[in-house]
Amino acid sequence: MTLEWQLREVGKEAAADTVHAALAAVLAYMHSGSPGRRREGKELVRLLEAARAAAAGAGEWHVVRLLQDSLDYAEGRILRPDFAERHRLFQDGARSERNRDFVASSLRAMHEWLVAASEAYLRDHPGASAEEMLGHFRAQRADTGFLRASDDRPGRYVVPRGMAETSLWLERLLKSDRIDVEDPAAQVRRIATSPQALALLAADHDGRLILQAAELQRRTAGLRALRAVVDDGDATEADLQRALRGNHWIFGGRYVGEAARRRLVPGDEVDLPLIRADGALHIVELKRAMGLKRPLIRRHRNAWVPADAVHEAVGQAVNYLVGLDEHRTRIRAEFGIETRRAGALVLVGHPGLHPDVPEEEVAETLRTYNAHVTRVEVLTYKELLDHAERSLAAGGEPA
């Protein structure tokens, strides 16, 4: 709703018919979904970019600036309170008094606490220097991330002193080379605020057996959820993407994480961007699994060969790699990601799509194809899952 209000204000500033038509297309798309809900996503961003281009073509640069704000808001780079106040989207066109009063009261409460805490510290340390007082508050700032709300004292909160030092030990442990845990900082907060978990970690040699068991349990649950989506004939590529997100370990120990941005090249958005241990990018192109509507392989003379669905997916991955090569310098400068050595993995289909063909025949057909293609590998979802399950059974990572 906030974006729609702003776009209608932009329409009042625009003069050219081409700009009005482009804005009308944006608003029509936003209202083309279910009643009461406004559509968003990549298509909305594309239409906003088209409107911005139309304004630039008409020389209406003030409208270009306004539409750039629209794009920034749609992609999450501007938060709603700032966006609404910047464009005076409230009914009376004035700034929000509620936002102003909230900021003022927060600042007042912060300063009142700071004065009280300083007085208390000086009572206990009458000869303290300014640097000692600053060190005291730095330690308190570090501990605020572990604030607790006691169940038996509603409305009261406690900041446990010294917890930051314990958390630093845990974070270093979780980031060690022999343990692979998603989001170490989040795990630190969870473990450090749990007395039971902390006691177990302290009793064990560096707590590694416990952490490894917890990670194994998490991976097993993630693999089970992914297999359910893969076996679902109605699952879309978006469903598969959600199931794989946060589980880069499934692709093997060569990968240390997922890139934060999926759109590195204008017009291209990769499904799953992985980062290898050497800092290079490896993209994963996702197609449907059991929901693939076309054959995975076909008979050609006396042999099985990949069908059109495979060739089209590989062609799409190759196009992504070409774009990454062409923008390599900018991507490395802006995002710190190396794409010169980038590769691609295409996940497509399932042997179950061909019940009359032995599973090994399907796998061998794709392996033969992979042997003759550079920078791109093709796997079925079943083969990926089987590799990951064997890895978990052996207590290691997929090869």
Side-chain angles (χ1 to χ4, degrees), residues 131-379:
E131 184 58 35
E132 288 173 331
M133 180 178 288
L134 287 173
H136 168 70
F137 283 110
R138 289 191 190 101
Q140 286 205 336
R141 178 184 63 187
D143 286 332
T144 55
F146 305 96
L147 182 141
R148 298 175 184 169
S150 177
D151 291 335
D152 57 352
R153 301 181 69 192
R156 301 287 295 179
Y157 302 91
V158 176
V159 177
R161 297 304 312 280
M163 191 60 76
E165 185 175 0
T166 302
S167 73
L168 179 61
W169 169 75
L170 281 171
E171 187 164 357
R172 288 175 178 172
L173 174 64
L174 291 170
K175 287 181 175 178
S176 64
D177 293 338
R178 287 181 286 172
I179 303 175
D180 183 14
V181 179
E182 297 292 334
D183 192 0
Q187 297 293 341
V188 162
R189 286 191 294 273
R190 181 181 63 81
I191 295 173
T193 54
S194 168
Q196 296 84 359
L198 196 58
L200 286 172
L201 286 168
D204 188 72
H205 176 63
D206 285 341
R208 290 188 174 171
L209 293 178
I210 296 171
L211 291 170
Q212 287 173 337
E215 177 63 7
L216 183 64
Q217 184 180 37
R218 185 192 71 81
R219 292 183 176 190
T220 301
L223 199 59
R224 188 184 306 116
L226 176 59
R227 188 174 288 279
V229 178
V230 167
D231 292 338
D232 183 359
D234 295 326
T236 64
E237 294 169 12
D239 296 328
L240 291 160
Q241 187 180 58
R242 281 191 292 269
L244 281 165
R245 191 172 297 140
N247 288 304
H248 67 269
W249 67 270
I250 288 175
F251 298 96
R254 294 176 296 170
Y255 306 105
V256 297
E258 300 173 23
R261 294 182 65 92
R262 293 168 51 206
R263 183 176 296 174
L264 299 171
V265 175
D268 287 346
E269 186 171 83
V270 301
D271 292 333
L272 199 62
L274 302 179
I275 302 297
R276 295 201 307 254
D278 62 358
L281 183 71
H282 194 91
I283 63 174
V284 180
E285 175 63 24
L286 304 177
K287 297 302 178 185
R288 292 196 176 204
M290 285 299 291
L292 192 67
K293 304 303 182 185
R294 297 187 292 169
L296 189 61
I297 59 175
R298 64 181 177 84
R299 198 71 177 172
H300 178 69
R301 296 182 180 176
N302 295 322
W304 291 103
V305 296
D308 290 344
V310 173
H311 293 296
E312 290 174 9
V314 169
Q316 186 176 353
V318 169
N319 286 337
Y320 288 154
L321 293 177
V322 170
L324 292 170
D325 288 342
E326 292 174 346
H327 293 80
R328 177 175 63 89
T329 303
R330 179 186 59 80
I331 293 171
R332 187 175 61 237
E334 291 185 11
F335 310 116
I337 298 175
E338 178 56 66
T339 62
R340 188 169 73 173
R341 303 183 304 278
L345 171 67
V346 172
L347 282 177
V348 58
H350 191 287
L353 295 169
H354 298 274
D356 299 330
V357 181
E359 182 177 322
E360 184 56 32
E361 287 279 353
V362 177
E364 184 61 29
T365 300
L366 295 180
R367 279 196 290 268
T368 301
Y369 177 75
N370 289 333
H372 295 82
V373 179
T374 58
R375 297 182 69 182
V376 180
E377 181 185 10
V378 181
L379 279 182

